[in-house]
Amino acid sequence: MENVKIIGTGYATPNQKITNDQLSQVVDTSDTWIQSRTGISSRYISCQENTSDLALRAAQNAIQASGIDPRSIRLILVATLTPDNYTPTVACQVQAGLGLNEQPVMAFDLNAACSGFLFALECAASLLKEGVALIVGAETLSKILDWNDRNTCVLFGDGAGACLIERVQDGSSMTFYARSKGDVDHALYCPDRSLQPDLMNKTEKKSYLSMKGRDVFRFAIQAMPDAIQHVLQGQSLDAVDLMIPHQANIRILEHVSKKMGFGMEKMFVNLDTLGNTSAASVPIALAQAWEQGKIKEGMQVILVGFGAGFTWGACKIQHGKGEDTQ
């Protein structure tokens, strides 16, 4: 358990909204087909902004919401599987965009796919010694989608979410759980460039994301309850005021809700308008829940996610003093 508190959140989405009807002009699908299987009606696709641009906007919005001096930031972690470049990292680009190049900041990227923000949040809470940590989840998944594959292109969207945390003594805390296992069957897979042992450059086709939907579903409905139970540490789920899950598929969320006896009305859902934004999913939902006044002092909130790798994890947030806080 770490005595840290979220002091600000923010998010950013691209300007271009793509509806299911628009997608049906590109690939063999329909609004009815997509909504009945996923719960998604639209998503945002970036045409001009790369991952670092969205990450910077989300970070700026979080800083504005918190009212802090950005020069108090000492740590920047960005979770992404779709960075602008191999190098420099998105985190270093965000640092530069915030005008913090002359400040004593450690900045780096982390890739745990859709669980990335949760992994980054745990790392930041552990690493933070003084000042403020900025944690961002940002993706431009549209760069790696095969627009001829209706099993994947209808699911994903672009966006970024961010939060700021600092160490406190007001009863606030975060309890973490994270786990991974190798995806040997390539259930969620996107290859990179191949080796070049002949010392010659090769012209290669662009790599696209592929997914075995049934395998991912079976994994997700086991991984989410596992992560939730671990951060509860024997506490009743009834004590949780709000759950913010990774926004992958409404069928997954409904299955977990029924399996755990946790009502959908206490689960924050925005996948209908944003789709699956991978590492940006949980922080965007967190920022929107915060913006809508759904998170208040004294509440217990669970963030939970799963993703390629395979990876999964959760974070139980005690926001200010609660009944179980000593």
Side-chain angles (χ1 to χ4, degrees):
M1 186 175 70
E2 299 284 352
N3 295 114
V4 293
K5 184 176 185 177
I6 295 173
I7 58 172
T9 61
Y11 67 97
T13 56
N15 292 327
Q16 185 159 345
K17 181 179 181 179
I18 303 295
T19 66
N20 291 344
D21 287 333
Q22 288 174 291
L23 271 184
S24 69
Q25 305 302 311
V26 178
V27 67
D28 181 19
T29 190
S30 68
D31 177 62
T32 301
W33 190 90
I34 297 170
Q35 288 213 48
S36 64
R37 287 162 174 77
T38 70
I40 299 168
S41 61
S42 63
R43 72 288 295 149
Y44 290 88
I45 301 300
S46 185
C47 297
Q48 297 177 325
E49 294 177 292
N50 213 327
T51 303
S52 64
D53 301 307
L54 294 171
L56 177 59
R57 281 209 286 128
Q60 290 169 331
N61 290 335
I63 290 169
Q64 182 177 7
S66 70
I68 67 160
D69 183 339
R71 291 174 295 182
S72 65
I73 295 173
R74 292 292 175 267
L75 179 63
I76 301 174
L77 273 67
V78 175
T80 185
L81 63 88
T82 53
D84 301 20
N85 318 289
Y86 287 122
T87 192
T89 63
V90 175
C92 284
Q93 290 172 278
V94 169
Q95 179 184 0
L98 293 174
L100 300 178
N101 275 355
E102 304 307 316
Q103 300 299 316
V105 174
M106 179 170 69
F108 62 94
D109 290 357
L110 182 155
N111 180 2
C114 302
S115 307
F117 176 79
L118 290 164
F119 279 42
L121 183 59
E122 180 172 359
C123 288
S126 178
L127 287 169
L128 185 64
K129 300 296 188 295
E130 61 179 5
V132 175
L134 167 64
I135 306 98
V136 184
E139 303 284 12
T140 45
L141 293 164
S142 56
K143 297 186 298 191
I144 61 171
L145 294 180
D146 180 353
W147 295 100
N148 295 312
D149 179 10
R150 71 172 184 173
N151 293 313
T152 55
C153 73
V154 303
L155 297 175
F156 298 97
D158 301 337
C163 77
L164 296 156
I165 63 170
E166 67 177 2
R167 294 210 168 274
V168 292
Q169 299 296 327
D170 68 350
S172 297
S173 65
M174 292 186 185
T175 303
F176 296 98
Y177 173 75
R179 190 174 169 186
S180 59
K181 66 177 182 179
D183 177 11
V184 296
D185 296 320
H186 291 176
L188 266 170
Y189 183 64
C190 186
D192 207 334
R193 302 185 66 166
S194 63
L195 299 173
Q196 301 186 111
D198 52 5
L199 307 183
M200 293 178 63
N201 294 334
K202 296 179 181 178
T203 301
E204 298 185 14
K205 293 182 179 180
K206 184 177 180 181
S207 301
Y208 296 113
L209 180 70
S210 65
M211 183 180 70
K212 298 176 183 176
R214 291 181 180 178
D215 291 349
V216 173
F217 183 89
R218 285 193 291 266
F219 160 67
I221 61 174
Q222 295 176 7
M224 288 182 68
D226 175 65
I228 292 166
Q229 292 291 356
H230 273 86
V231 294
L232 283 173
Q233 297 181 328
Q235 184 184 35
S236 171
L237 194 54
D238 294 336
V240 176
D241 299 290
L242 181 68
M243 188 177 298
I244 301 178
H246 168 47
Q247 310 287 313
N249 186 309
I250 195 64
R251 288 182 172 181
I252 292 173
L253 301 186
E254 289 173 345
H255 190 283
V256 172
S257 169
K258 183 177 180 180
K259 181 177 182 179
M260 302 199 72
F262 189 83
M264 285 294 293
E265 71 278 2
K266 295 175 70 175
M267 196 177 283
F268 188 88
V269 178
N270 64 4
L271 67 84
D272 56 324
T273 59
L274 293 172
N276 181 345
T277 55
S278 189
S281 168
V282 170
I284 291 177
L286 173 64
Q288 289 187 339
W290 200 286
E291 183 180 65
Q292 295 170 23
K294 295 183 181 295
I295 301 176
K296 297 179 174 61
E297 198 80 5
M299 289 180 64
Q300 285 197 51
V301 180
I302 286 184
L303 314 179
V304 60
F306 61 91
F310 285 115
T311 61
W312 67 104
C315 171
K316 185 181 76 173
I317 299 171
Q318 176 65 54
H319 188 59
K321 292 187 179 298
E323 292 180 1
D324 68 335
T325 305
Q326 301 298 318

